[in-house]
């Protein structure tokens, strides 16, 4: 970390990072982002996102700007227009929706093969969400179904989460923060 | 799982369970949001294997959510909104035998039984006498057989069953049944839904049922009374319903006599009739047209008034058909399950996509399942369940993937606008057409005359390289080799007669002696055996260095005659080298 960054850290100015939050509809993207926001800014009711929404939250050393994209089929073609700006990606998966795991895999493959993403070494954080649901798949099984082992040129990490209670979220965000720091230095 | 094959990867294989134990047909499969949470469930009337284990099964995602036993084999299953209560949860109607069982929240809610048919009075009297003990079972059998032969109203199920019994079982059967009155029941063959007054997605729907007794009933969804009754000339097998009961509706029914009838509001008789060349297997409405799959391995398109639009031949017999309607993308097509383990997608008569399945598909259902709009659900002959999801990026191009005329044929040419000159010419041609035609004919005749004259002249002077004489048919061609000034001249002479050899021929050359010098301008030809090619070679030297060339004339002569048998003109090439003298 450079001298200026340290200085900025002492002064309380934090580095801004743009993060894209992607995933199928009803996977829990907005709920996860909502949980990461400071408690006084959290919403009570989560409704399906239309288009996208921009949310901000801070961690110990970074200030995140999250593009919370809508996961509905008709809005998914909007994702690629934000790939350039994103410095990290959060990909949320509904672990209880076995049927649509192929759809999630298809969207992930499209994402990874996009020219704006393909040759950049940006960190991808996977949230295997809805772990509280009875028939949910484990994070290992999810990573198998999505063939995450095939991602060789980007750092990635998968955590099992329950966004309703916030379980597993801090672990993922810590990993993302470390990755972004190592990327910058 | 990876059966994408030739469909260009348009479908994602979401789920395949080869041992799901689902034995059903397209008419007994429906998709509906049964819990009102925005996730559609799959409702299946499972025919089971044999005459037991008929079940109503509900799937959520990849798992079986609930199952309840059905009393009889299901003939059809539909999900429909029967009331306006909130939350909007559809009911499920299962048609089996003469009854419709209505389930709400997956619990039995109501049973509707079709009205009984008219009973033969003679038959009734006979059974009455049996009840009173006036006649014994054997007499009963004789009398019933007599009634069966004569009467125009068929016997009830009880009587026909009785007639099929052995003599020993008759007493017990009569004892068991003689207390109940005779009834004659029909059975339901197909079921559909018809919106009552609004075209909304969640509007209240009437049930439309077709019966074995050739009737079509429209039932009120709340009171379950018969709103309308229509009569068909034959028993229906499958139907499609569109419109609203209170406004205007259209029921398209494929019947067992190989005809398709169209029923309309305010008429209890069919309005239109389509006579097919073979029996229908499936019927699907696409927009305003009807697509019918027939037993002669064909797929046919008709307008709703019964005009035939097209007919295509399929590679295998049709097993099942379903509509593929994707309103978000404005796509409408027909899915056809074939006996060769293929499912084909057609838009009009164009084959858009084909994919292979591991087993013969017996039921197809396309629609919103779970949260995914384009889900294709199929069950196979072996009881397998297969789910595919249409890719978001899948594009079905209008081009026909079946072999046919190339695409370029239908591309419109960029024809330039008509110029003034063109218009003037056209006008002139229109006015003077007759004169122009005459002038053309005159010129054509002249041309023909000139050609004929030249030909006769050539024949007379034997200028051709083919001999016209019948006694000495000879063919010749000449080859000039070399760059100059020295050329090699080869004349290939052939006797084309069938068996007669030709003798006493000679070759003579005529040329400009100031330009060329020839080693031997007169040669004798040996005897020509028929068929063989005789090369006669000679050398020509060009004596000029001015770079000019001339013609050398070759004559083949018969010894003792002055007129040549044939003549050839050889255009000599320009000499490229200087003569070394």
């Amino acid at each position: 970390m450079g001298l200026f960054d340290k200085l900025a850290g002492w002064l309380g100015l934090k580095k801004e990072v743009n993060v894209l939050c992607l995933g199928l509809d009803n996977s829990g993207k907005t709920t996860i982002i909502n949980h990461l926001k400071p408690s006084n800014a959290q919403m009570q009711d989560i409704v399906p996102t239309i288009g996208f929404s921009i949310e901000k939250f801070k961690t110990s050393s970074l200030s995140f700007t999250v593009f919370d994209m809508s996961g509905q089929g008709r809005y998914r073609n909007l994702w690629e227009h934000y790939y350039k700006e994103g410095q990290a990606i959060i990909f949320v998966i509904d672990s209880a929706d076995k049927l649509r795991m192929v759809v999630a895999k298809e969207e992930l493959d499209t994402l990874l093969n996009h020219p704006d993403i393909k040759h950049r070494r940006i960190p991808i954080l996977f949230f295997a969400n809805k772990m509280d649901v009875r028939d949910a798949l484990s994070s290992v099984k999810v990573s198998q179904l999505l063939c995450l082992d095939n991602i060789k040129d980007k750092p990635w990490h998968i955590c099992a989460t329950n966004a309703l209670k916030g379980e597993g979220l801090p672990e993922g965000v810590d990993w993302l923060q470390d990755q972004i720091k190592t990327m910058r230095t | 799982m990876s059966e994408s094959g030739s469909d260009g990867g348009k479908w994602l294989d979401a789920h395949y369970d080869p041992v799901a134990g689902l034995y059903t047909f397209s008419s007994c499969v429906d998709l509906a949001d049964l819990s009102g949470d925005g996730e559609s469930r799959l409702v299946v009337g499972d025919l089971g294997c044999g005459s037991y284990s008929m079940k109503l099964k509900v799937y959520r995602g990849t798992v079986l959510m609930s199952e309840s036993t059905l009393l009889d084999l299901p003939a059809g299953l539909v999900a429909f909104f029967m009331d306006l209560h909130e939350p909007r949860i559809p009911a499920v109607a299962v048609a089996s035998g003469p009854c419709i069982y209505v389930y709400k929240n997956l619990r039995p809610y109501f049973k509707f039984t079709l009205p009984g048919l008219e009973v033969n009075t003679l038959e009734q009297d006979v059974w009455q006498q049996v009840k009173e003990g006036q006649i014994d079972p054997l007499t009963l059998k004789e009398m019933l057989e007599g009634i069966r032969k004569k009467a125009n109203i068929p016997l009830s199920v009880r009587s026909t069953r009785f007639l099929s019994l052995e003599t020993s079982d008759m007493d017990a059967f009569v004892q068991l049944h003689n207390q109940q009155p005779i009834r004659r029941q029909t059975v339901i063959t197909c079921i559909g839904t018809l919106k009552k007054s609004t075209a909304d997605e969640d509007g209240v729907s009437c049930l439309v049922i077709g019966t074995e007794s050739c009737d079509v009933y429209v039932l009120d969804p709340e009171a379950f009374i018969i709103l309308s009754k229509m009569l068909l000339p034959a028993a229906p097998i499958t139907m499609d319903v569109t419109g609203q009961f209170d406004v205007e509706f259209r029921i398209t029914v494929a019947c067992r006599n190989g005809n398709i009838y169209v029923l309309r509001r305010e008429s209890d008789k069919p309005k239109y009739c389509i006579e097919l060349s073979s029996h229908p297997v499936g019927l699907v409405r696409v927009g305003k047209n009807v697509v019918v799959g027939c037993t002669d391995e064909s797929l046919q398109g008709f307008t709703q008034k019964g005009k035939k639009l097209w007919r295509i031949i399929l590679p295998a017999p049709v097993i099942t058909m379903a509509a593929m309607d994707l309103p978000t993308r404005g796509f409408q097509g027909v899915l056809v399950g074939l006996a060769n383990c293929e499912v084909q997608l057609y838009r009009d008569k164009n084959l858009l996509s084909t994919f292979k399945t591991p087993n013969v598909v017996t039921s197809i259902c396309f629609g919103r399942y779970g949260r995914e709009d384009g889900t294709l659900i199929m069950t196979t002959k072996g009881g397998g369940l297969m789910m595919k999801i249409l890719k978001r990026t899948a594009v079905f191009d209008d081009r026909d993937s079946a072999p046919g005329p190339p695409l370029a044929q239908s591309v419109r040419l960029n024809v330039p606008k008509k110029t003034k000159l063109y218009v003037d010419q056209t006008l002139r041609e229109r006015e003077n057409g007759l004169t122009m035609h005459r002038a053309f004919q005159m010129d054509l005749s002249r041309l023909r005359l000139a050609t004929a004259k030249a030909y006769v002249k050539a024949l007379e002077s034997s200028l051709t390289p083919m001999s016209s004489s019948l006694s000495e048919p000879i063919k010749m061609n000449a080859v000039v080799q070399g760059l100059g000034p020295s050329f090699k001249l080869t004349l290939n002479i052939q006797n084309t007669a069938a068996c007669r050899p030709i003798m006493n021929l000679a070759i003579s050359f005529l040329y400009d002696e100031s330009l060329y010098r020839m080693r031997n301008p007169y040669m004798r030809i040996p005897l020509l055996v028929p068929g063989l090619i005789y090369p006669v070679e000679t050398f020509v030297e060009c004596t000029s260095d001015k770079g000019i060339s001339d013609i050398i004339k070759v004559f083949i002569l018969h010894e003792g005659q002055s007129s040549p048998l044939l003549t050839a003109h050889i255009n000599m090439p320009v000499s490229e080298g200087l003569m070394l003298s």
Side-chain angles (χ1 to χ4, degrees):
Chain A
M1 217 187 258
L3 184 66
F4 183 78
D5 285 344
K6 275 183 184 165
L7 195 68
W10 291 329
L11 291 172
L13 298 171
K14 292 175 178 175
K15 272 280 174 189
E16 292 259 343
V17 202
N18 291 331
V19 180
L20 293 178
C21 188
L22 309 173
L24 300 188
D25 47 320
N26 199 36
S27 56
K29 296 175 292 300
T30 310
T31 315
I32 284 177
I33 303 304
N34 191 46
H35 221 279
L36 292 173
K37 288 197 292 188
S39 52
N40 53 5
Q42 286 183 4
M43 290 177 288
Q44 289 303 312
D45 293 327
I46 308 290
V47 292
T49 310
I50 305 291
F52 69 97
S53 65
I54 295 175
E55 306 287 350
K56 289 188 179 175
F57 67 90
K58 287 183 178 134
T59 59
S60 54
S61 60
L62 292 169
S63 169
F64 284 93
T65 306
V66 184
F67 291 81
D68 180 14
M69 309 300 295
S70 171
Q72 292 174 39
R74 68 191 116 163
Y75 296 118
R76 273 181 226 156
N77 50 1
L78 291 179
W79 292 3
E80 59 183 31
H81 301 291
Y82 298 87
Y83 288 170
K84 267 204 180 102
E85 280 110 87
Q87 289 151 295
I89 290 172
I90 297 175
F91 199 94
V92 187
I93 302 127
D94 179 353
S95 336
D97 193 351
K98 275 172 229 162
L99 185 73
R100 293 208 298 163
M101 214 47 92
V102 274
V103 184
K105 180 176 172 3
E106 172 73 15
E107 295 297 347
L108 178 66
D109 291 346
T110 321
L111 162 78
L112 293 175
N113 288 321
H114 193 273
D116 287 347
I117 297 287
K118 197 170 185 180
H119 303 296
R120 285 167 64 200
R121 202 185 141 73
I122 60 172
I124 307 177
L125 173 61
F126 293 94
F127 280 132
N129 198 18
K130 303 201 186 181
M131 276 300 153
D132 51 316
V133 178
R134 198 158 51 93
D135 295 325
L137 299 165
S138 69
S139 58
V140 178
K141 189 80 187 144
V142 170
S143 65
Q144 270 176 7
L145 285 173
L146 296 184
C147 303
L148 297 186
D149 290 337
N150 295 346
I151 309 175
K152 303 272 193 247
D153 54 346
K154 292 178 183 61
W156 61 269
H157 183 71
I158 185 162
C159 331
T161 58
N162 169 9
L164 292 175
K165 298 226 173 70
E167 288 159 13
L169 294 182
E171 181 207 335
V173 176
D174 285 347
W175 176 85
L176 195 63
Q177 185 174 298
D178 290 347
Q179 285 298 321
I180 292 169
K181 275 192 209 154
T182 54
M183 223 170 59
R184 289 166 164 248
T185 50
Chain B
M1 283 282 278
S2 55
E3 297 283 340
S4 31
S6 65
D7 63 340
K10 292 188 176 78
W11 300 93
L12 298 169
D13 295 303
H15 179 62
Y16 176 48
D17 182 1
V19 289
L22 268 182
Y23 302 91
T24 189
F25 303 109
S26 295
S27 57
C28 296
V29 183
D30 205 355
L31 295 167
D33 180 7
L34 290 180
S35 52
D37 59 358
E39 282 198 31
S40 291
R41 309 288 201 267
L42 171 68
V43 199
V44 185
D46 186 359
L47 284 85
C49 27
S51 57
Y52 57 95
S53 75
M54 290 81 72
K55 288 215 166 72
L56 178 67
K57 292 184 174 173
V58 180
Y59 278 81
R60 175 180 192 267
T62 56
V63 289
L64 181 63
M65 201 177 78
S66 88
E67 59 178 359
S68 44
T69 306
L70 293 173
L71 296 176
D72 205 348
L73 276 178
L77 178 150
V78 284
F80 71 112
F81 288 99
M82 58 186 290
D83 48 38
L84 290 164
H85 298 314
E86 291 284 343
R88 308 289 289 137
I89 293 176
V92 176
V94 183
S96 46
C99 305
I100 293 176
Y101 300 92
V102 180
Y103 290 79
K104 264 190 112 175
N105 293 318
L106 292 176
R107 290 197 183 84
Y109 173 76
F110 189 77
K111 177 186 167 186
F112 170 81
T113 310
L114 283 174
L117 298 175
E118 193 188 344
V119 181
N120 196 327
T121 43
L122 280 173
E123 188 190 356
Q124 217 156 13
D125 291 346
V126 172
W127 278 98
Q128 185 63 35
Q129 285 170 25
V130 172
K131 192 177 163 188
E132 288 158 8
Q134 291 169 354
I135 49 174
D136 60 353
L138 278 175
T139 342
L140 173 68
K141 187 177 177 180
E142 272 171 34
M143 293 176 89
L144 283 178
E145 268 168 357
I147 296 169
R148 181 163 68 171
K149 279 193 190 111
K150 278 179 270 173
N152 40 10
I153 298 175
L155 292 181
S156 66
V157 179
R158 191 205 295 180
S159 302
T160 45
R161 176 99 178 95
F162 174 76
L163 289 178
S164 71
L165 287 175
E166 295 292 323
T167 321
S168 54
D169 300 332
M170 281 179 176
D171 270 324
F173 186 83
V174 170
Q175 286 303 318
L176 189 65
H177 291 99
N178 64 8
Q179 293 308 316
Q180 284 104 32
I182 292 182
R183 274 190 314 199
R184 208 156 66 82
Q185 278 289 12
T186 183
V187 290
I188 300 172
T189 56
C190 53
I191 184 166
T193 58
L194 169 61
K195 292 268 178 296
K196 187 139 198 303
S197 48
T198 56
D200 300 344
E201 190 92 316
D202 61 349
V204 172
S205 299
C206 304
L207 289 179
V208 183
I209 48 179
T211 69
E212 192 64 46
S213 58
C214 311
D215 290 315
V216 171
Y217 297 101
V218 180
L219 300 184
D220 181 79
E222 273 168 308
F224 284 99
I225 50 168
I226 294 169
L227 292 175
S228 170
K229 181 186 171 184
M230 288 163 272
L231 189 66
L232 290 168
I237 50 173
T238 173
M239 66 166 135
D240 178 85
V241 190
T242 167
Q244 291 115 51
F245 181 77
D246 292 338
V247 187
E248 173 60 36
F249 63 85
R250 193 180 287 267
I251 305 175
T252 314
V253 198
C255 288
R256 212 170 284 153
N257 62 354
N259 291 356
I260 292 173
Y261 298 99
V262 182
L263 297 160
R264 302 274 299 266
R265 191 182 149 83
E266 285 158 6
S267 159
D268 58 350
K269 288 255 167 359
K271 177 111 177 155
Y272 305 106
C273 170
I274 305 168
E275 289 186 5
L276 299 170
S277 52
S278 63
H279 287 268
V281 179
L283 180 146
V284 167
R285 185 177 41 84
V286 181
K288 289 196 161 183
N289 296 338
V290 178
V291 179
V292 188
C294 292
T295 47
D296 61 350
E297 300 182 19
S298 70
L299 198 65
Q300 310 187 11
F302 296 92
T303 64
Q304 55 186 0
K305 289 194 174 166
K307 191 176 159 227
K308 187 169 176 177
L309 295 173
W310 48 264
R311 178 176 188 268
I312 48 168
I313 299 296
L314 297 169
V318 184
I319 301 293
T320 188
M321 288 172 68
M324 175 169 161
D325 198 353
L326 209 58
T328 49
R329 293 193 215 172
F331 179 88
Q332 282 191 314
V334 180
L335 289 156
V336 186
L338 301 174
N340 62 352
C341 298
E342 271 184 1
V343 176
Q344 299 194 322
L345 171 63
Y346 287 90
R347 175 161 54 194
D348 291 337
K349 60 176 177 179
N350 297 331
L351 175 62
L352 300 181
S353 149
T354 304
F355 57 87
K356 282 261 176 203
T357 51
N359 201 342
V360 176
V361 166
T362 55
S363 87
I364 301 178
C365 183
F366 181 88
R368 183 180 167 86
Y369 180 55
R371 302 183 61 91
E372 202 61 45
D373 278 327
T375 312
L376 174 62
I377 295 169
M378 294 169 287
T379 63
T380 61
K381 200 175 171 185
L385 173 66
M386 208 184 306
M387 297 180 181
K388 283 174 183 279
I389 295 177
L390 187 66
K391 277 191 192 175
R392 181 171 62 90
T393 49
V395 182
F396 292 107
D397 41 355
D398 227 347
R399 193 176 54 82
D400 193 354
S401 58
L407 188 66
Q409 198 169 308
S410 54
V411 173
R412 297 199 67 175
L413 292 174
N414 186 16
V415 182
K417 275 193 169 175
K418 288 171 187 165
T419 57
K420 186 166 183 304
L421 183 69
Y422 173 83
V423 175
D424 289 351
Q425 283 284 12
T426 318
L427 275 177
R428 191 175 70 85
E429 280 169 17
R430 201 182 291 164
E431 281 160 13
N432 308 320
L434 200 64
T435 352
M436 287 167 88
H437 180 71
R438 275 188 195 141
F440 171 76
Q441 286 298 334
M442 173 106 81
D443 287 349
L444 186 64
S445 306
R446 279 192 182 143
L447 180 69
R448 281 181 182 152
L449 181 64
T451 319
K453 271 181 183 166
Y455 183 61
V456 167
K457 193 180 165 200
L459 282 181
E460 275 171 354
S461 53
S462 301
L463 283 170
T464 49
M466 285 276 288
S467 165
S468 58
S469 143
L470 280 175
S471 56
E472 278 117 359
I474 297 170
K475 206 164 96 176
M476 178 179 79
N477 72 58
V479 180
V480 181
Q481 288 169 311
L483 296 171
S486 183
F487 298 98
K488 184 182 177 186
L489 189 61
T490 311
L491 304 168
N492 293 310
I493 301 163
Q494 188 184 11
N495 176 6
T496 56
C499 53
R500 246 161 51 100
I502 304 171
M503 294 181 291
N504 298 331
L505 294 185
I507 294 181
S508 158
F509 296 94
L510 184 66
Y511 53 92
D512 189 346
E513 288 186 2
S514 63
L515 280 176
Y516 295 105
R517 186 165 60 217
M518 200 167 266
R519 206 167 290 170
N520 35 359
Y522 177 82
M523 287 181 290
R524 295 178 69 91
I525 304 176
L527 179 136
L528 295 177
V529 173
L532 292 182
I533 295 173
Y534 291 82
V536 181
E537 292 170 0
T538 182
F539 289 90
V540 183
E541 273 179 66
C542 180
T543 54
S544 157
D545 54 357
K546 296 195 180 72
I548 49 173
S549 63
D550 195 22
I551 291 169
I552 297 181
K553 293 178 181 172
V554 186
F555 305 103
I556 296 187
L557 305 148
H558 206 275
E559 273 183 17
Q561 288 177 9
S562 60
S563 70
L565 276 173
L566 58 87
T567 313
H569 291 204
I570 301 168
N571 282 313
M572 293 300 288
V574 175
S575 166
E576 303 208 356
L578 284 175
M579 193 191 74
L580 300 167
S581 52

